[in-house]
Amino acid sequence: MPTKVCVSRFRRVGHPFETCHHLISLHPNEKTPDVEGILVKVDLAAICGSDLHTVSGRRSAPTPCILGHEAVGRIAQFLPDSIKLLATDYHGNPLQVGDRVTWSIAASCNQCDFCTGYNLPQKCERLFKYGHARSAANGLECLNGGFADYIYLRPGTAIFRLPDELDDKSAVSLNCAAATVMDGLRKLDQPIGDTAIVIGLGMLGLYTCAILGHQGWRNLIGIDINPQRAELATHFGATQNLVWSDQIHRQINQTVKSCGADLVVEACGNPAALTSALDWLRFGGQLLSLGYVYPQAMVNFSADLLVRKCLTVSGNHNYHPRSLGQVIDFVQQTQDRYLYSSLVGEVFPLLEIANPNGALKN
Amino acid sequence: MPTKVCVSRFRRVGHPFETCHHLISLHPNEKTPDVEGILVKVDLAAICGSDLHTVSGRRSAPTPCILGHEAVGRIAQFLPDSIKLLATDYHGNPLQVGDRVTWSIAASCNQCDFCTGYNLPQKCERLFKYGHARSAANGLECLNGGFADYIYLRPGTAIFRLPDELDDKSAVSLNCAAATVMDGLRKLDQPIGDTAIVIGLGMLGLYTCAILGHQGWRNLIGIDINPQRAELATHFGATQNLVWSDQIHRQINQTVKSCGADLVVEACGNPAALTSALDWLRFGGQLLSLGYVYPQAMVNFSADLLVRKCLTVSGNHNYHPRSLGQVIDFVQQTQDRYLYSSLVGEVFPLLEIANPNGALKN
C-alpha cells in the first residue's frame, strides 16, 4: 500500500510554495524502485540563510526545487531492502530502520580527484547538494530537499546517528553552518592564542564563538552590526561583544593587545570585514573567511599587509564529512554550556511554509 | 695599530655615494670598544632590488646609511676578544677568526613575544636590519651594512658557516631572497602536487623554481613580463616558461589541467598576479605571496573565489633563521643542477659603487 508523502516545492521568486503529494511505497516486500539509497522521514528541517536568498531571488536555483538542506530525521527504508545489511553510518557502524540521523549536505562520488587525492569530497566533480537541485515531479529521487515529509539520501552521503540526548532543535543546523565552521577551524595551523575576533554573529559566527570559547581563548570578541545579535555572542562563549560602527577600530585598538589579534574569523560577507581583519591581526596572524559566498564579492585590500605581516588567509565553504561527525560530538559535549536549541526559532508544520504568516514570515 | 676601513655611505636620492674611511682596532690585545659582537671582513656584497628602490627614492631609508644586506665574509675579530670562547654559529658549533660565513639579515632580541612565543624572530619588537639603518659617522656599530670593508654583527644575529664548495657568488644572495622563499614554502601545508605556477622571475621567483623543481613538481610554470627573465626559469627547474601578456589566461588554461593549479607563488608585486592566481588555483589550492613589499599595494579581488574554492593565501616577508640554514644546505646540494653563481652579475670593487659606470649602472 503506497504512502502519501507531502512535498513543498519552490517554483519561482514572488510565487508561493506549491504543496503536493507523492505516493511512494514504503513496504519492503513490495517491488522497490530502481534506485539505491536510504529514505529518511524528516522530523525537523531549518530555514538557512541561503534558502532565504533563493526565495528572495538573490541566489538563483534550478526550479522547481525542494529547498532545505539543514535537517534531521529517522531512517524509514533501505532501497532496495537488501542493502540494509550493508548500510553503515560514516563511522562504519550498521544502520537500522528507525535510527535518528543527520547527514552531509551533499553526496560525493568517492572516485574523482577531489574525493580521493585532494581529500575534498565537498568539492567532488559530481557533487549532489540536497536542497539545491531541481526536483522532478515524481520518482523517489525527486525527494532531494528537507522541506518534505521524506528525503531520499543517495549513495555517497555521509550519515551520522544522533545521540539521544541531542534534541532536534539542537541538531538540525549541524550539517550546515556548524560543520562548515568546524571544518574551517581545523584547517588553521593556530594554537590557542590570546585574542580571537569573530565578525558576524549569525549561525556561522555563533558556532565559531562556541568552539573557540570551549578551546579557552582569553579574549574572544564577537562583533555584529545588530546589537541583539552581538549580545548573543556572550551566551556562546565570547568574552566580549561589540556592535560594528565607525567606532569599531578605536574600540578594537582599546581592547586588543598592542601587537594585534592572533585570529580573526570573517562570518558576515561584508568586504569591510576582510580589510579590517588584516589591520587587526598581529604579525603571523590568521584569518578564516567563511562569509563571501555570493558572486563577485569584491574586496579591495592592502596586499603589503598580507606579506609584511606574514599573514595566512584561509577560505572555507562546506566541509569534509568528518567535520560533521566532530561537530556532533562537540555540540553533545557542550550543550550544558551553550543553549543550542535557542538558535532555532518557532517550529511550523510543513504546510505552513507557504502560509504568509508561517515559517518564512520573518 | 688601527686599521683603515673603507665605507660607502648613501646620503640621499640623486646624490652619489660618499666614500669614507674609518680607523678601527682589529688587534685583540688593544683596548676593545665597549660593544659586544663579531666583526666580519666583507668578501662580497650584492645589490638587492630594495637597495635600488632606496637609491631611486621609491623606498625611504634613514640616512646616511650603509646599504647592502646580502653579503658573505670572514670573521675578523670577536668583540671583546673574550667572547671567542662562547661564540657559536646558529647550529651551536664554535666559531673562529677566519671562518667564512653569512648571516641573518636582521638581529633579534630573543626575548620579546615574537622571538619566543610566536617563533617569528624576523618580526622581533627590537629588530635591527642590516643595510637599512642609519649609520653614524664613527664607532664600530656604524658598520651596519654590506657596502663596506667590514660589517659589525650584533648579538642576536644568526651566523652560518659556508661550505668550502659554495663560492661567494653562489652564496651571497642566500640571506635575502633565497631564505625568504625557503621560509615561505615551509609555511605551506602543501604536498608535492601536479602543477605549480611562479609569477615573477627575479631572485625570489628563480629560487622558488629551484626549490619546487628539486621537489619534483610535474608541471612547474615560470612567468615573467620580460622574455629573457622568463627564459631563465627553465634553467632553474621550471618545466615551462611563459611571457606575461594579455594572452596569459588563455595560455594557462591550455597548459594547466582543467581543475586548476595546486600552488601559485606570487613573486613580482603586481596586483594582477594575485587576482590571476585566485582564478588559476584549483579547489583547495594555495597561494604564497612574497612580492607586495611596497606601501599601499592595493589589490581588488573576488573574495568569493577565496571562500568557495577553499583557498589558502599566505604572505611571507623575511625569514626565521632556520630557513637560512636550510637554504644553504639546499643550494650546496643542488649547485650541480642549477648555476646559482650566474644570478650575480659583474663584480666591482667597493669604491666603484659611486662610479656612474660602476655597479649601479644597470
Side-chain angles (χ1 to χ4, degrees):
Chain A
M1 181 67 187
T3 303
K4 197 162 86 169
V5 172
C6 179
V7 166
S8 184
R9 272 203 188 75
F10 172 71
R11 305 299 297 203
R12 60 184 182 277
V13 176
H15 285 70
F17 285 83
E18 171 195 75
T19 303
C20 55
H21 294 85
H22 289 266
L23 289 177
I24 59 170
S25 162
L26 292 181
H27 196 285
N29 294 329
E30 291 182 38
K31 181 177 180 303
T32 52
D34 187 23
V35 294
E36 185 179 294
I38 295 178
L39 196 69
V40 170
K41 172 86 177 71
V42 176
D43 287 332
L44 185 66
I47 300 168
C48 176
S50 65
D51 294 318
L52 296 177
H53 289 327
T54 305
V55 171
S56 70
R58 271 169 295 192
R59 174 181 174 138
S60 70
T63 53
C65 69
I66 304 175
L67 295 177
H69 49 274
E70 301 183 1
V72 294
R74 279 163 292 130
I75 292 178
Q77 192 174 354
F78 296 97
L79 300 165
D81 190 59
S82 58
I83 69 157
K84 72 182 174 194
L85 298 175
L86 301 170
T88 63
D89 67 6
Y90 182 72
H91 301 299
N93 302 311
L95 287 170
Q96 295 187 329
V97 167
D99 279 350
R100 202 166 145 260
V101 293
T102 190
W103 51 90
S104 54
I105 49 170
S108 309
C109 74
N110 294 322
Q111 294 180 334
C112 71
D113 283 349
F114 287 107
C115 284
T116 57
Y118 301 140
N119 202 22
L120 284 167
Q122 66 271 41
K123 299 296 173 186
C124 167
E125 290 173 7
R126 292 178 277 279
L127 195 73
F128 178 84
K129 290 182 82 170
Y130 296 104
H132 289 86
R134 192 166 184 281
S135 167
N138 49 44
L140 262 180
E141 284 171 296
C142 79
L143 298 174
N144 56 20
F147 297 167
D149 280 347
Y150 289 85
I151 186 168
Y152 161 72
L153 303 183
R154 304 166 177 236
T157 307
I159 298 176
F160 294 84
R161 285 191 296 185
L162 290 168
D164 291 341
E165 54 268 45
L166 210 56
D167 64 26
D168 283 351
K169 285 179 92 171
S170 300
V172 71
S173 291
L174 298 185
N175 73 340
C176 183
T180 299
V181 167
M182 181 62 85
D183 204 70
L185 291 173
R186 274 176 52 87
K187 281 175 72 175
L188 302 182
D189 170 30
Q190 180 78 46
I192 312 310
D194 181 274
T195 300
I197 300 173
V198 181
I199 311 177
L201 296 166
M203 293 297 251
L204 289 168
L206 290 174
Y207 280 114
T208 304
C209 287
I211 295 172
L212 297 180
H214 188 67
Q215 287 178 353
W217 289 68
R218 198 167 71 85
N219 296 303
L220 175 54
I221 303 165
I223 303 177
D224 200 281
I225 201 162
N226 175 322
Q228 282 78 42
R229 279 165 65 134
E231 175 70 24
L232 260 183
T234 41
H235 297 283
F236 282 86
T239 58
Q240 188 177 356
N241 68 71
L242 294 172
V243 178
W244 183 284
S245 72
D246 54 9
Q247 298 299 307
I248 193 70
H249 290 276
R250 187 184 53 76
Q251 291 174 304
I252 288 290
N253 289 338
Q254 283 172 352
T255 306
V256 174
K257 61 188 172 163
S258 62
C259 70
D262 305 288
L263 172 65
V264 177
V265 180
E266 174 281 311
C268 65
N270 186 323
L274 192 144
T275 49
S276 299
L278 299 188
D279 283 333
W280 297 343
L281 284 167
R282 66 161 169 85
F283 290 107
Q286 295 197 54
L287 167 64
L288 172 63
S289 183
L290 304 171
Y292 303 112
V293 288
Y294 54 95
Q296 296 296 314
M298 298 309 291
V299 175
N300 196 28
F301 81 109
S302 293
D304 52 315
L305 288 182
L306 172 75
V307 174
R308 284 190 299 102
K309 290 174 84 170
C310 300
L311 303 178
T312 299
V313 179
S314 298
N316 204 54
H317 180 232
N318 297 338
Y319 54 86
H320 189 290
R322 69 171 170 241
S323 298
L324 175 52
Q326 285 165 344
V327 87
I328 292 170
D329 292 345
F330 170 78
V331 165
Q332 182 184 7
Q333 286 161 23
T334 56
Q335 62 176 335
D336 290 339
R337 178 172 179 187
Y338 306 126
L339 194 57
Y340 294 106
S341 61
S342 70
L343 295 174
V344 177
E346 197 178 346
V347 176
F348 295 86
L350 177 60
L351 285 172
E352 293 197 23
I353 200 166
N355 181 336
N357 295 314
L360 288 169
K361 189 178 62 170
N362 300 315
Chain B
M1 181 68 188
T3 302
K4 198 162 87 170
V5 172
C6 178
V7 166
S8 183
R9 272 203 188 75
F10 173 70
R11 305 298 299 200
R12 61 184 182 276
V13 176
H15 284 70
F17 285 83
E18 171 196 74
T19 303
C20 55
H21 294 85
H22 289 267
L23 289 177
I24 59 170
S25 161
L26 292 181
H27 195 286
N29 293 329
E30 290 182 37
K31 183 179 178 301
T32 53
D34 186 24
V35 294
E36 186 179 293
I38 295 178
L39 196 69
V40 170
K41 173 82 178 71
V42 176
D43 287 333
L44 184 66
I47 300 168
C48 175
S50 65
D51 293 317
L52 296 177
H53 289 328
T54 304
V55 171
S56 70
R58 272 170 294 192
R59 174 180 173 139
S60 69
T63 52
C65 68
I66 304 175
L67 295 176
H69 49 274
E70 300 184 1
V72 292
R74 280 162 291 131
I75 293 179
Q77 190 173 356
F78 295 98
L79 301 163
D81 189 58
S82 58
I83 70 158
K84 72 181 173 192
L85 297 176
L86 301 170
T88 64
D89 68 5
Y90 181 73
H91 301 299
N93 302 310
L95 288 170
Q96 296 188 326
V97 168
D99 279 349
R100 199 163 148 262
V101 294
T102 190
W103 50 90
S104 54
I105 50 170
S108 309
C109 75
N110 295 323
Q111 294 181 334
C112 71
D113 283 349
F114 288 106
C115 284
T116 57
Y118 299 140
N119 202 21
L120 284 168
Q122 67 270 41
K123 298 298 173 184
C124 167
E125 290 173 6
R126 291 178 279 278
L127 195 73
F128 178 84
K129 291 182 82 169
Y130 295 104
H132 289 87
R134 193 168 184 281
S135 168
N138 50 44
L140 261 180
E141 284 171 295
C142 80
L143 297 174
N144 55 21
F147 297 166
D149 280 347
Y150 288 87
I151 186 168
Y152 160 73
L153 302 183
R154 304 165 176 236
T157 306
I159 298 175
F160 294 83
R161 286 190 296 184
L162 289 169
D164 291 340
E165 54 268 45
L166 210 56
D167 64 26
D168 283 352
K169 285 180 95 172
S170 300
V172 70
S173 291
L174 297 186
N175 73 340
C176 183
T180 298
V181 167
M182 180 63 84
D183 203 70
L185 291 173
R186 273 176 52 88
K187 280 175 74 176
L188 302 182
D189 170 29
Q190 179 80 46
I192 311 310
D194 180 273
T195 300
I197 300 172
V198 181
I199 311 177
L201 297 166
M203 293 297 251
L204 290 168
L206 290 175
Y207 281 114
T208 303
C209 287
I211 295 172
L212 297 180
H214 188 67
Q215 286 178 353
W217 289 68
R218 197 168 72 84
N219 295 304
L220 175 54
I221 303 165
I223 303 176
D224 200 281
I225 200 162
N226 176 321
Q228 282 78 43
R229 280 165 65 135
E231 174 70 26
L232 260 183
T234 41
H235 297 284
F236 282 86
T239 58
Q240 187 176 357
N241 68 73
L242 294 172
V243 177
W244 183 284
S245 72
D246 53 11
Q247 299 299 308
I248 193 69
H249 290 275
R250 186 184 54 76
Q251 292 174 303
I252 288 289
N253 289 338
Q254 283 172 352
T255 306
V256 174
K257 60 188 172 164
S258 63
C259 71
D262 305 288
L263 171 66
V264 178
V265 178
E266 173 282 311
C268 65
N270 186 323
L274 193 144
T275 50
S276 300
L278 299 188
D279 283 333
W280 297 343
L281 284 167
R282 66 163 170 84
F283 290 107
Q286 295 197 53
L287 167 64
L288 173 62
S289 184
L290 303 170
Y292 303 113
V293 287
Y294 54 95
Q296 296 296 314
M298 298 310 291
V299 176
N300 195 29
F301 80 109
S302 293
D304 52 314
L305 287 183
L306 173 75
V307 174
R308 286 189 299 102
K309 290 174 83 171
C310 301
L311 303 179
T312 299
V313 178
S314 298
N316 203 55
H317 180 231
N318 296 339
Y319 55 86
H320 189 291
R322 68 172 168 239
S323 298
L324 175 52
Q326 285 164 345
V327 88
I328 292 170
D329 291 346
F330 170 78
V331 165
Q332 183 185 6
Q333 286 161 24
T334 57
Q335 62 176 335
D336 290 340
R337 177 171 180 188
Y338 306 126
L339 194 58
Y340 294 108
S341 61
S342 70
L343 296 173
V344 176
E346 196 178 348
V347 175
F348 294 86
L350 176 60
L351 284 171
E352 293 197 24
I353 201 166
N355 180 335
N357 295 315
L360 288 168
K361 189 178 65 170
N362 300 316

